[in-house]
Amino acid sequence: MTSPQNDPAPQPPQGHTHTHAHTHSHGPAAPVSRHLRKVIAAVLIPFATAVVVGLIAFWPGGVPDHERTGVGFDRQTQDGKVVQVVKVDCADVNAAQVPPTGDTSTPSGREAVNEQEGECAKATVEVTSGDDKGRRFVEVVQPDAPRQLKEGQGVVVAYAPDAPRDLQYSVIDVNRKIPMALLAGIFALAVVLVGRMRGVMALVALAVSFAVLTLFILPAILQGSNPLVVAVIGASAIMLAALYMCHGVTARTSVAVIGTLVSLLLIGLLGSLFIGWAGLSGNTDDNTGLIKGLYPDIDMSGLLLAGIIIGSLGVLDDVTVTQTSAVWELHQADPEMGWKGLYRAGIRIGRDHIASVVNTLVLAYAGAALPLLLLFSIAQSSVGTVANSELVAEEIVRTLVGSIGLVASVPVTTVLAALVVSADRTGPGGTQAATAAPARTGRGRRRKKG
């Protein structure tokens, strides 16, 4: 009790040091003044309201019914199980004829020879779901088939009600439900163990994203709504839910939301311009052709643009949150730094992020299109010919438009965060301003004494 009285001089620096440490270690993670809260709310509340109104106005109420064609994914399917597999001579079960010349230089010729001379698998498959549960049928598997059946294996079988009874069922795929569910469980466990409560919220946000995609975006497009409008509304709803659930309702998150929104608008404008300019129809393979055949009123080029927007959203969230957090931490480390200094320091961090994210995005699309690129390589097509084909041009436009949006999100988000956090430093009525003032005064007293 007597030591502070006998030696009063060191006491103010000790008290100041404690106050300064408390302000930065335990203060609000994203301090904002009352004025800035009002400004951010003035931007985000109308935006969120518009998203809710859009969800209500375009809510589809389910996927429209249609008569099944029995083609591709548009087939009735049931679960099945392989109960027996026996090896048989292919000549006994195949009706294919070897070419009279014995020519095996063509794929069809080689296939015919294999079907006559090889050893095939004759699998007995039992239907394990649906009205015909317990019914059995025989599936012949050729020796060069990419998918070989094993006894006890779960399979997916297609049902064709109009076909002859012996041909109504056929195996179309392997049942992967158990390994896929196990992998999803391992993923969820890893996220929760590492992320803890933040990881739990990330999984909840992921569930919300899938719900918006499956209950709103896809059915609304099938109902005939404009794919671009639906994608913008759905992506905005996903963005608001995911960012605020994972990162909290703070000014830091709000700045990331605004930066993401600006970048999505840029992606939408550029995508619309170049899809139209390049004459991309969006109808380039069997799946898109089937969709167009079942729902002729769907705007396939609009569907392509919607895919670009939704595909870019996930990476955009990562970039904008990272940049906003970087600027906030820079401000916490040096509260005296102005918005220009914060922007310059933040953009240096952002340049590294841009390089890695763009490379990741390009490689992701290249990996998805690898079989297609391999076919072009086999055909020895020139780079110009490959790039000009609609299949590849779609991926190029998708990649470059998304990458431009990602690159633009870095300076946009960084400058927004720098302006907000630097203005908040002296904002009237803010908690941060109230606690930071004594710290600056203390530093001034020490400099004056020195």
Side-chain angles (χ1 to χ4, degrees), residues 241-324:
L243 288 179
Y244 282 119
M245 280 184 179
C246 293
H247 305 287
V249 184
T250 64
R252 182 185 304 188
T253 308
S254 299
V255 170
V257 167
I258 296 173
T260 305
L261 175 62
V262 173
S263 302
L264 280 178
L265 292 175
L266 176 62
I267 289 173
L269 291 174
L270 286 176
S272 179
L273 172 64
F274 282 94
I275 286 174
W277 195 2
L280 300 177
S281 66
N283 188 2
T284 54
D285 57 26
D286 293 340
N287 293 328
T288 53
L290 178 59
I291 293 172
K292 186 65 175 176
L294 293 174
Y295 301 96
D297 295 332
I298 289 181
D299 178 9
M300 298 304 293
S301 61
L303 187 62
L304 173 61
L305 180 56
I308 294 175
I309 292 174
I310 295 171
S312 302
L313 178 61
V315 188
L316 270 177
D317 286 351
D318 173 58
V319 172
T320 55
V321 168
T322 300
Q323 283 304 114
T324 306

Side-chain angles (χ1 to χ4, degrees), residues 40-117:
I40 293 172
V43 175
L44 290 177
I45 290 178
F47 169 62
T49 303
V51 171
V52 173
V53 171
L55 288 172
I56 296 173
F58 287 88
W59 192 261
V63 177
D65 294 330
H66 71 279
E67 186 176 350
R68 289 187 179 271
T69 61
V71 177
F73 289 103
D74 192 39
R75 289 180 284 188
Q76 298 182 43
T77 60
Q78 300 292 346
D79 293 335
K81 183 179 180 180
V82 180
V83 294
Q84 186 182 37
V85 177
V86 295
K87 296 294 184 180
V88 295
D89 191 348
C90 287
D92 296 336
V93 293
N94 288 324
Q97 297 296 320
V98 179
T101 60
D103 182 16
T104 59
S105 61
T106 63
S108 59
R110 288 191 296 270
E111 183 178 349
V113 170
N114 289 336
E115 290 182 359
Q116 287 294 326
E117 298 179 353

Side-chain angles (χ1 to χ4, degrees), residues 119-132:
E119 187 178 51
C120 294
K122 187 176 181 181
T124 302
V125 182
E126 181 178 320
V127 180
T128 58
S129 66
D131 295 336
D132 287 337

Side-chain angles (χ1 to χ4, degrees), residues 114-319:
N114 289 336
E115 290 182 359
Q116 287 294 326
E117 298 179 353
E119 187 178 51
C120 294
K122 187 176 181 181
T124 302
V125 182
E126 181 178 320
V127 180
T128 58
S129 66
D131 295 336
D132 287 337
K133 182 177 180 180
R135 179 174 167 181
R136 295 188 175 190
F137 64 95
V138 174
E139 182 87 6
V140 176
V141 183
Q142 304 300 329
D144 56 351
R147 182 178 58 245
Q148 297 294 320
L149 299 180
K150 298 178 293 185
E151 191 170 320
Q153 185 177 35
V155 292
V156 178
V157 298
Y159 175 59
D162 297 332
R165 179 173 175 80
D166 293 341
L167 301 177
Q168 285 182 332
Y169 282 98
S170 60
V171 176
I172 59 171
D173 210 342
V174 173
N175 193 326
R176 304 180 180 90
K177 293 178 182 178
I178 293 178
M180 298 295 284
L182 179 60
L183 182 60
I186 294 173
F187 163 74
L189 182 61
V191 170
V192 173
L193 287 177
V194 176
R196 298 189 179 179
M197 193 60 198
R198 190 68 65 88
V200 172
M201 295 309 298
L203 292 177
V204 173
L206 182 63
V208 171
S209 299
F210 273 107
V212 173
L213 184 64
T214 57
L215 298 179
F216 173 71
I217 295 178
L218 299 180
I221 291 175
L222 291 177
Q223 291 279 14
S225 299
N226 186 297
L228 176 58
V229 175
V230 170
V232 170
I233 295 172
S236 299
I238 291 173
M239 174 184 65
L240 290 172
L243 288 179
Y244 282 119
M245 280 184 179
C246 293
H247 305 287
V249 184
T250 64
R252 182 185 304 188
T253 308
S254 299
V255 170
V257 167
I258 296 173
T260 305
L261 175 62
V262 173
S263 302
L264 280 178
L265 292 175
L266 176 62
I267 289 173
L269 291 174
L270 286 176
S272 179
L273 172 64
F274 282 94
I275 286 174
W277 195 2
L280 300 177
S281 66
N283 188 2
T284 54
D285 57 26
D286 293 340
N287 293 328
T288 53
L290 178 59
I291 293 172
K292 186 65 175 176
L294 293 174
Y295 301 96
D297 295 332
I298 289 181
D299 178 9
M300 298 304 293
S301 61
L303 187 62
L304 173 61
L305 180 56
I308 294 175
I309 292 174
I310 295 171
S312 302
L313 178 61
V315 188
L316 270 177
D317 286 351
D318 173 58
V319 172

Side-chain angles (χ1 to χ4, degrees), residues 353-373:
H353 204 186
I354 286 173
S356 61
V357 167
V358 169
N359 194 46
T360 300
L361 192 64
V362 171
L363 289 178
Y365 283 129
L370 200 58
L372 176 64
L373 297 177

